[in-house]
Amino acid sequence: MANIATPREIKAVIKNFLARLDADIGAVEEFLSPDCSAHLPGQNVPLDRNGFKGFAGMLYAAFPDLHHEVTFQIAEGDEVASLVAVRGTHKGNFQDIPPTQKQVEFTDIILARVHNGKITVLWAQFDALGLFRQLGMP
């Protein structure tokens, strides 16, 4: 079946996914296809949908009020690039760093392929160095 979605619809999938993810980790099953391939920082191999859910769960455990705001998007065909402002408070362990209660803000760039309303491939790259510096790491 052909993917007959407009750029606006493709962009909306990412915006809706991030909004739902901020409220409920179950959004992973709703928005990622069962055979999704997620390429994430610090991961040597792409993660499947369950692996992505584990990664996201780790982030939300460390930053329970994590919030994504899409600030810019470009879409063509079935692909979309999103610039995302991410904010949260460090209230749980993150990468062996105990909670600091610090507010953090960093940028995430998400590239995704969407087919029939589901994310089939996702690449994410965020400013990990900036995040670690905000948490007090040299």
Side-chain angles (χ1 to χ4, degrees), residues 8-75:
R8 179 177 286 184
E9 292 168 330
I10 297 292
K11 291 176 185 179
V13 169
I14 301 304
K15 286 182 178 179
N16 292 337
F17 168 59
L18 293 173
R20 286 266 296 114
L21 186 64
D22 286 344
D24 178 12
I25 197 85
V28 171
E29 280 96 15
E30 182 181 343
F31 285 89
L32 271 62
S33 69
D35 60 345
C36 181
S37 174
H39 306 261
L40 302 174
Q43 304 298 315
N44 295 330
V45 296
L47 301 177
D48 62 11
R49 183 166 71 179
N50 287 334
F52 181 88
K53 187 174 183 180
F55 181 86
M58 177 270 304
L59 282 176
Y60 283 94
F63 304 92
D65 61 345
L66 202 65
H67 175 75
H68 295 83
E69 179 186 349
V70 176
T71 59
F72 183 77
Q73 287 183 302
I74 298 174

Side-chain angles (χ1 to χ4, degrees), residues 4 7 9 26 28 34 38 57-58 74 82-83 92 97-98 108 111-112 120 127:
I4 310 170
E9 292 168 330
V28 171
M58 177 270 304
I74 298 174
S82 304
L83 184 62
I97 302 170
D108 196 355
L111 307 174
T120 59
D127 180 12

Side-chain angles (χ1 to χ4, degrees), residues 58-135:
M58 177 270 304
L59 282 176
Y60 283 94
F63 304 92
D65 61 345
L66 202 65
H67 175 75
H68 295 83
E69 179 186 349
V70 176
T71 59
F72 183 77
Q73 287 183 302
I74 298 174
E76 183 176 329
D78 63 353
E79 297 173 328
V80 59
S82 304
L83 184 62
V84 182
V86 185
R87 295 174 188 84
T89 309
H90 183 213
K91 295 183 177 185
N93 287 326
F94 176 70
Q95 301 289 318
D96 296 326
I97 302 170
T100 63
Q101 305 305 318
K102 292 182 178 180
Q103 299 272 327
V104 297
E105 183 173 341
F106 55 93
T107 301
D108 196 355
I109 298 171
I110 299 172
L111 307 174
R113 184 170 296 130
V114 177
H115 187 77
N116 293 329
K118 299 279 188 183
I119 299 167
T120 59
V121 181
L122 182 138
W123 295 267
Q125 187 62 36
F126 65 88
D127 180 12
L129 180 59
L131 174 59
F132 283 116
R133 285 189 175 154
Q134 290 176 67
L135 296 176

